[in-house]
Amino acid sequence: MEKMKDRVVMLGDAIIAIIITIMVLDLPIKLTHSGNIEIITLMRSIGIYFISFCFVGNLWYQTAQVFNHVKKIKNKDFVVYMFLMFFLSLVPAFTRLLIEDTNREIVFMYGILTFIVSIFLQILLNSLERQIEETEKIKSEYQKKIRFKHRGNFIFRIFLLFLAYYYPEFGLVVYLALPIFNFLQNIVSHEENIYVEQMNDEQKNYYLQDSNQTFENTIQKYVSLLKSSMNNAQGAQKDPEWWHQFNQQWQKEVNRKIKQIDQKLSETTDESEKNHLYQKREKLESQKRQIDEYVSMATIKNQKSK
């Protein structure tokens, strides 16, 4: 069955390579009456091709990451994969239509095609991820967070279809930007998975809580993970600088919680509540000592790496 999986993966890779080749061959190179190349038309065509290239490449990247952890492909997964490849093979034709004209109907049809491809992709990924052994999975709560992102993307694409129909120019801009963002998001998610898998329970709990904090924290984390993924050639190694920043953020959060408890202790007179607060404070102090050790270790590794 593993050989069958390899053959299916190779077939998909070949189809995707052909799709990209067809798209680039369809690029129109028009000449003016004087025999010069229409630069504006060519650059616009290359821009639309680049977006479709990112869309196809992003799909390949997502499936490749999951296929690496799957030992075999079931018959139903193969059927879904073939449907996925069928609709994906229509991308060059719709890309050519976008290059030729960007009216409401074409933008809307392009949106429907990408929506259908996204549905089959999600069905395939969900099925394959269920086959991954629990020892290879990250914490279940984190899996819920990933599934929530997928549902959010599904809802957003439905909204985008309405946007493309009633406001085709704006919808086209979003369709052009979305594949690039999704590709970067997948790189960040892969890097994030690696880090979460390496965390202990306390670190995971803090990371999951911190993920639901302010928008500013989310952006900082996104940029940090993206930078780490670009600098980390091996992919599966800890980045000392990233871990140093992570532990410092965790340390600040623990200190903030300790101050809150101290404030409550100074205000309450209830003995049972005081005992409860003292216990919470002791746990936080224990975390703080552990964090100090993590920070020291990360600092040493960071200095050695330099």
Side-chain angles (χ1 to χ4, degrees), residues 220-281:
Q220 289 176 349
K221 187 181 297 176
Y222 185 93
V223 173
S224 178
L225 285 166
L226 183 60
K227 181 181 177 181
S228 175
S229 66
M230 296 301 179
N231 294 333
N232 207 350
Q234 298 300 322
Q237 296 180 356
K238 288 186 177 182
D239 180 355
E241 180 62 29
W242 191 93
W243 281 94
H244 183 71
Q245 293 176 1
F246 168 73
N247 286 313
Q248 282 188 328
Q249 291 174 357
W250 186 13
Q251 195 174 47
K252 289 179 181 178
E253 182 64 18
V254 169
N255 287 332
R256 185 184 67 80
K257 289 181 179 179
I258 289 176
K259 287 182 180 180
Q260 286 181 344
I261 291 176
D262 288 339
Q263 181 66 29
K264 290 180 180 179
L265 281 170
S266 64
E267 295 173 354
T268 186
T269 56
D270 188 292
E271 289 299 325
S272 61
E273 186 179 356
K274 277 188 176 182
N275 290 332
H276 177 67
L277 290 171
Y278 278 127
Q279 290 176 1
K280 287 180 65 176
R281 195 181 193 283

Side-chain angles (χ1 to χ4, degrees), residues 61-70 124-125 128-129 132:
Y61 183 84
Q62 290 187 72
T63 54
Q65 291 295 334
V66 179
F67 278 138
N68 284 339
H69 297 281
V70 175
L124 178 66
L125 294 179
L128 293 177
E129 285 172 356
I132 301 175

